[in-house]
Amino acid sequence: MGENEYLLSKASIKIDNKNISSSGLSSNIKQKPNIKILGFWKFHLGLYNLSGKNKDKGINKWLSRIGEEPVIYEDYQTNRSKLQLGIYLRKRGYYNAIIEDTVIFRKKKAKLKFKITAGEPYRYRNIYDEKSDLPHNFMSYYQSDKEISDSSLIRQYLVLDSVNSNIRVGANVDADVLSKERDRIAILMKNKGYFNFSKEYIHFMMDSLDKDHQMDVFVGIKKPKSSSVERKYRIRSIIVNSDYDPKPILRNDSVYLNKLDTLVYENCKFIYTKKLNIKPDVIINSLGFQPGSLYNLSDVEYSYKMLQALNQYKFVNIRFEVDTDSENAKEGNLNCFVQLSPFKKQSYVIEVEGTNSSGNIGFAGKLNYQHKNLLRGAEVLDVRFSSATESVRSNDNKNFFSREYGGEISLSTPKFILPFFNANGFRKKYNPTSKLSLSYSYQKRPDYVRTQADASFGYNWKSSKYLTHKLNLIELSFVEVNNLSQDFIDDITNLYIANSFTDHIISTTRYSLVYNNQNLNKLGSYSYLRFNFETAGNTLKAIDQLLGSKKNYDYDDNGELEGTYYDLLGIRYAQYLKVDIDYRYNKYFNRANSLVGRFFMGLGYAYDNLEVLPFEKSYFSGGANGIRAWQVRSLGPGSYSNDEAVYPNNTADFKLEGNLEYRFKLIWKFEGAMFLDAGNIWAISPKDNRVGAKLTMKDFYKEIAIGTGIGTRVDLNFILFRLDLGLKLRDPSLATDKRWIIGNRAFKFSQLTYNIGIGYPF
């Protein structure tokens, strides 16, 4: 820094009105201090300073590029900030706000402070939509202004829809609200058929004279220069080019143009080359309008969404041209051109990727084949083959390998295959898809071999921008477990757990609801919520009881009859209810700092036909995506402890977990993290006799495990590698008076638990 230069160390705003957005004010400050991580460390500025004076060579150039240049205080930027703050406040009705700035210079650092006295805001007193209600001062202006339209029909639509107005009596005068109102009215008119109407024809007449911080507003419509603005339009014709290629069209390529063929279907004209690549009714059902329809902007936007959802086209464009030959004084006509550029029908992809299954790190190879339009109805066929190897760690920290081979074939179609709903009406509102899939996997672990065959059929649909629903009507799984190692068998001393590793069938119906308001195109805070409900075995048992199927008898080790059960194809099927909820919140501070919180709670209850939760449906804790101070499946249930087990496989029926992680950018592709994890799993089944495993409402909080730690990530855009070091703070498996680790034992590096993961933990 030069002799008269000062590093900006702080820029703050103090305002006397809590109703004004602090983030909105802060965004208007033109100079902000260098970014900090951990709340105090200007790490990126330090990297820049390490580059020295010569920043154009070698490592110095790299350090200056990844670091952050010091922010030097400038009076000019302070004046710009004051100007922008004033504009921001006036746009929100604070016309008399006073903004003062103070700069404190000390030890080559500058602290900038803004003090804002907002004053009383102006508020809306009366809102006028009809000229007949205007007071005298407004009426005289209205009658003298030749630029104001007197279109009674447009005015009528405006009045009838005033209940949806963004302008509310008593609310602050706000320029952004007025802008939203102009957009709303313009969309309203376009939805009523006014193709040439735009928001430029909407203006507001406002009067605050002698009204004591209040304002009257009249919504005005400017008189258009052309009569076409006040004319409604209907769609006269629809021409669909399903093989649109702009290059030969722009070149007027005669070879390409001679290849084009046409087909008329339900009053729509289709243009294509060689063969129509998709059934015409699929396109027509994706359009929100038809010949003769009144122009409606919402229908056009819906058509874009539905055509893109078909996943058939890399380019979708819908344009309208006024048909001047058929125009009349009352209504005009439009010719609609739908231009579609298709993807290639078939694709092959070979992938090599990292895997993270329940905290076990590994690598996988995949071969994917996809046909995007199998039956010419936008059906997508996916065929996948995979092979994976993962590292499995035993309790004595020995590493073993798990190998898995499998394949899956699935077919999805953009409609409901079964007629449970009005197909067209439901598709127009919710954009559903139906999916049928079959899969098979073979997994070989050191402790057992498991094969699983699955079949499922279900639906996906969106009820709003952020809400997604998934209903699997049937998920059928055949699970076979064999080759259990003697060590693994010796570890299992509880019959409840042993039964979860037997051959079984799972027939489930599952519903999932996901809320996600993340904007992938813009960094910012967002929330994620997933709710799952699952029921298994009830339909099969009802059928068995209805048909009077033969029961099987279940005996204990002493030959005593324990109960009866039904089977399917000679294999006992599971019967249970399961529900869980997963909520996450990502608080974005700036490009280098964010805080992520997660809460999870799940409950599974097995009964009747198989009174244990299958292993793959049980809950576990620990590992790279759970409480990271414990190895995967080594925590719980409750205060239960089995340190002698070679392979940790602790599972249970109930899970409660909370996580908090502070993430910060370091250098290049590296990121850092500090985290705090808490939670556990518990048993609720009366058949589970593991000591300390049962969930009790009065004591469960005493069995909460707590861990902390630090981590680093390498974000390569296409994949993110993660290493977390976890340290136990509170261990529920220890004696009651020794569960807090800090203070009860000296720290040793051997107490650290490392977890390698792919992607963020949540």
Side-chain angles (χ1 to χ4, degrees), residues 363-537:
F363 292 91
K366 293 183 178 181
L367 171 63
N368 298 339
Y369 165 77
Q370 186 178 76
H371 194 299
K372 289 183 175 293
N373 191 19
L374 184 67
L375 305 174
R376 295 181 55 242
E379 302 90 354
V380 178
L381 174 71
D382 283 298
V383 180
R384 301 183 181 93
F385 299 99
S386 63
S387 174
T389 299
E390 292 180 334
S391 174
V392 181
R393 198 154 23 124
S394 66
N395 261 347
D396 57 3
N397 285 323
K398 292 182 180 179
N399 286 325
F400 300 88
F401 288 97
S402 167
R403 290 179 172 82
E404 185 171 351
Y405 311 94
E408 180 184 2
I409 181 170
S410 66
L411 180 68
S412 61
T413 181
K415 61 183 179 181
F416 275 90
I417 294 178
L418 298 181
F420 291 146
F421 305 94
N422 179 298
N424 289 334
F426 194 82
R427 181 169 187 263
K428 183 171 183 180
K429 190 172 183 180
Y430 297 114
N431 188 23
T433 59
S434 299
K435 185 175 182 179
L436 173 67
S437 68
L438 302 170
S439 65
Y440 176 83
S441 67
Y442 171 86
Q443 184 183 35
K444 184 177 181 180
R445 288 171 53 100
D447 38 356
Y448 61 82
V449 173
R450 182 176 64 177
T451 58
Q452 182 170 336
D454 298 307
S456 68
F457 173 74
Y459 305 121
N460 294 286
W461 70 92
K462 290 180 71 75
S463 59
S464 70
K465 182 179 180 181
Y466 302 126
L467 276 178
T468 303
H469 306 258
K470 183 177 182 179
L471 174 63
N472 274 12
L473 291 178
I474 180 68
E475 289 184 0
L476 193 60
S477 299
F478 294 83
V479 182
E480 182 181 41
V481 183
N482 50 45
N483 292 356
L484 274 74
S485 70
Q486 191 60 47
D487 287 340
F488 185 75
I489 295 173
D490 293 341
D491 288 345
I492 302 176
T493 58
N494 182 273
L495 184 61
Y496 180 83
I497 302 302
N499 286 339
S500 70
F501 282 91
T502 59
D503 297 347
H504 56 270
I505 291 176
I506 307 174
S507 173
T508 67
T509 297
R510 181 162 55 90
Y511 169 74
S512 298
L513 171 69
V514 175
Y515 172 85
N516 187 358
N517 65 357
Q518 182 180 12
N519 185 345
L520 297 177
N521 298 319
K522 182 181 179 182
L523 293 175
S525 302
Y526 65 90
S527 296
Y528 172 92
L529 174 67
R530 178 179 55 82
F531 169 80
N532 283 331
F533 175 77
E534 186 175 336
T535 177

Side-chain angles (χ1 to χ4, degrees), residues 684-713:
I684 63 170
S685 171
K687 291 183 174 293
D688 194 332
N689 58 7
R690 286 175 290 180
V691 178
K694 290 288 181 62
L695 174 69
T696 57
M697 296 306 296
K698 65 175 183 178
D699 291 327
F700 83 94
Y701 68 92
K702 298 177 183 178
E703 297 171 340
I704 296 290
I706 302 176
T708 188
I710 58 174
T712 184
R713 292 91 169 88

